[in-house]
Amino acid sequence: MKVIIAAAGTAGHINPGLAIANKIKQEQKNSEIIFIGTTRGLENDLVPRAGYKLKTIDAYGLSKKISIENIKKMYKTLKGYGEAKKIIKEFKPDIVIGTGGYICGATISAAHSLGIPTLLHESNAFPGKAVKMLAKKTNTILVSFEDAVDRIKNGKNIIYTGTPVKITKKEYTINEKTKIIKNCGLSETKPIVLIFGGSQGAQKINEAILGILENKLNKKYQIMWATGPKQYDIIKEKLQDKNININNIENAKIVPYIYNMEEVMNIANLIVSRSGAMTITEISNLGKPSILVPLPNVSGNHQLYNAKVLEDIGAAKIILNNELEDKKLNKEIEEIVLDKNKEIQMTTNALKVSTNNVENKIYEEIKKLVMQ
């Protein structure tokens, strides 16, 4: 099987593409797979690191606003369509797959014009502009949330599969769990609240956690906090200004990045984070209670819709970005981790929207298109 995967921008777009590529390789070892991206996004690191070849084209998200800058982007994106068409003609794929980002517009349109079967995977509960625009041109659209199905109009074949993610639910022995907790520099005696804002951190969340620590509000629970590499030194300095040593805070462990995230997510009692599609999928698959702070000012406000998937079934609490502050967050944390019955109920509710065998479902849809 020869496959082109278009994925650009953030890890939330690229990692599902890599998961799909890995599944195809697992099933058909002789498959040839290349990625199409831009020169600007994380694909330039993640795709080659995963062992796949990356071809780049010009592509930009377009605004309705008329400006010289937007006209330039439109021109470059039209040029990118031609570049994508050239790559497709040369590679001669059996299928072209898009997993998100503005790169999909040029690549899927080019494949459609050449009569190549196309498939899109939409990770968010509220589909992006690219997916809606390409619905008529795409043979099959796969979605991560059932809520997304009715939000895509004019799609030929829309199927709920879920999002492929690396982090899965683990059942640790008491000794294994104890070892993980100790390696994190935490105690077994208090609930663990895992806090992160994505690979780069989230400033608003970080500010609220700083307030909790400075005011010593976390006396009844402990915090495992990944600040994001770019914000770690800033937070270290802010704590120093308050005469607080970042490496010696009661009931808290602060790190730039968590490399054993699967282990830590599995042992946590509660997760506080943004609500990207992959994070929501991981939280539901693990069955973890969560407090979600949707990233504002993103396309279609999709993080809010993602978070609502869990809040609407009683598995999460949403705090809007402009309403987030230390005392409010601390109150919400304590209401969950200090009430075992509530924690158990939220766990049960989260598991209701967990997804299984995602890669197998996606692979079956790819095979149908290639064999038709």
Side-chain angles (χ1 to χ4, degrees):
M1 190 186 299
K2 296 186 74 173
V3 183
I4 288 178
I5 299 176
T10 67
H13 291 146
I14 300 154
N15 284 334
L18 290 172
I20 292 169
N22 292 341
K23 177 62 178 177
I24 293 170
K25 277 287 189 182
Q26 179 187 326
E27 297 293 334
Q28 298 190 28
K29 290 181 172 58
N30 295 325
S31 293
E32 295 178 53
I33 303 171
I34 65 170
F35 279 72
I36 293 180
T38 70
T39 58
R40 306 182 307 279
L42 279 175
E43 63 270 25
N44 293 275
D45 175 34
L46 299 179
V47 171
R49 190 187 290 267
Y52 295 102
K53 188 173 184 179
L54 175 69
K55 299 270 190 178
T56 60
I57 66 172
D58 261 335
Y60 292 85
L62 300 178
S63 167
K64 293 179 180 179
K65 185 179 177 182
I66 297 173
S67 67
I68 294 174
E69 184 63 26
N70 203 42
I71 290 170
K72 285 180 181 177
K73 286 182 178 180
M74 192 177 297
Y75 171 76
K76 288 179 179 178
T77 299
L78 287 171
K79 182 186 171 190
Y81 167 81
E83 292 169 339
K85 204 168 186 178
K86 184 172 182 286
I87 293 168
I88 293 168
K89 282 181 177 179
E90 289 174 353
F91 188 71
K92 297 181 175 62
D94 297 301
I95 187 170
V96 174
I97 299 168
T99 57
Y102 35 76
I103 197 76
C104 292
T107 310
I108 296 295
S109 295
H112 174 74
S113 72
L114 294 169
I116 307 292
T118 55
L119 179 146
L120 276 172
H121 182 276
E122 172 55 73
S123 294
N124 291 301
F126 196 92
K129 292 177 185 176
V131 170
K132 291 179 178 179
M133 180 184 76
L134 295 166
K136 285 185 179 179
K137 298 178 180 179
T138 307
N139 296 92
T140 298
I141 298 175
L142 309 180
V143 296
S144 294
F145 301 102
E146 284 188 279
D147 298 38
V149 175
D150 293 334
R151 292 175 178 145
I152 302 173
K153 308 300 180 185
N154 304 318
K156 297 176 186 176
N157 187 30
I158 305 170
I159 299 167
Y160 164 57
T161 60
T163 293
V165 292
K166 295 178 183 176
I167 292 175
T168 56
K169 189 173 180 62
K170 303 287 185 184
E171 297 294 339
Y172 296 117
T173 65
I174 293 172
N175 288 338
E176 286 171 337
K177 186 175 179 181
T178 299
K179 185 178 179 181
I180 294 167
I181 292 171
K182 286 185 176 178
N183 286 342
C184 289
L186 300 173
S187 162
E188 300 168 69
T189 61
K190 292 179 181 178
I192 297 169
V193 180
L194 170 61
I195 298 157
F196 60 91
S199 58
Q200 300 305 313
Q203 186 175 347
K204 190 70 175 177
I205 293 176
N206 287 349
E207 288 172 357
I209 303 305
L210 271 174
I212 287 174
L213 296 179
E214 288 170 3
N215 294 302
K216 297 183 179 181
L217 301 178
N218 60 317
K219 291 179 180 178
K220 297 178 182 178
Y221 61 89
Q222 52 192 335
I223 288 170
M224 181 71 194
W225 177 20
T227 64
K230 291 183 178 179
Q231 294 205 37
Y232 182 79
D233 287 337
I234 296 170
I235 285 162
K236 184 178 180 179
E237 287 180 17
K238 287 183 176 180
L239 287 169
Q240 281 177 343
D241 291 342
K242 301 281 185 178
N243 295 316
I244 300 172
N245 183 342
I246 196 169
N247 296 312
N248 188 26
I249 302 175
E250 189 177 4
N251 296 330
K253 179 67 175 178
I254 306 173
V255 295
Y257 187 82
I258 296 172
Y259 291 95
N260 61 330
M261 184 60 92
E262 183 171 64
E263 290 182 339
V264 178
M265 287 184 82
N266 268 284
I267 64 163
N269 298 84
L270 171 68
I271 292 170
V272 179
S273 70
R274 293 296 193 193
S275 49
M278 292 188 73
T279 299
I280 296 296
T281 300
E282 289 164 353
I283 287 171
S284 61
N285 287 355
L286 295 174
K288 292 296 173 181
S290 57
I291 296 172
L292 302 169
V293 186
L295 179 66
N297 306 319
V298 290
S299 176
N301 208 13
H302 65 253
Q303 285 213 2
L304 178 60
Y305 286 94
N306 293 347
K308 280 183 174 295
V309 170
L310 292 179
E311 187 183 59
D312 288 349
I313 60 170
K317 172 71 179 178
I318 294 174
I319 302 179
L320 297 179
N321 203 69
N322 61 356
E323 296 176 354
L324 182 66
E325 48 86 29
D326 55 0
K327 291 181 179 61
K328 183 179 180 69
L329 178 57
N330 179 68
K331 180 175 178 291
E332 297 293 350
I333 289 173
E334 288 193 338
E335 283 184 1
I336 296 169
V337 299
L338 301 183
D339 183 343
K340 202 63 188 175
N341 289 332
K342 186 167 188 175
E343 185 182 323
I344 291 169
Q345 187 58 56
M346 290 179 78
T347 292
T348 302
N349 292 342
L351 288 169
K352 289 177 183 177
V353 289
S354 64
T355 50
N356 299 305
N357 301 314
V358 175
E359 286 90 345
N360 289 336
K361 292 173 186 174
I362 292 173
Y363 180 67
E364 288 304 313
E365 295 306 321
I366 291 169
K367 279 202 304 181
K368 287 178 189 177
L369 290 176
V370 171
M371 295 171 65
Q372 69 180 8

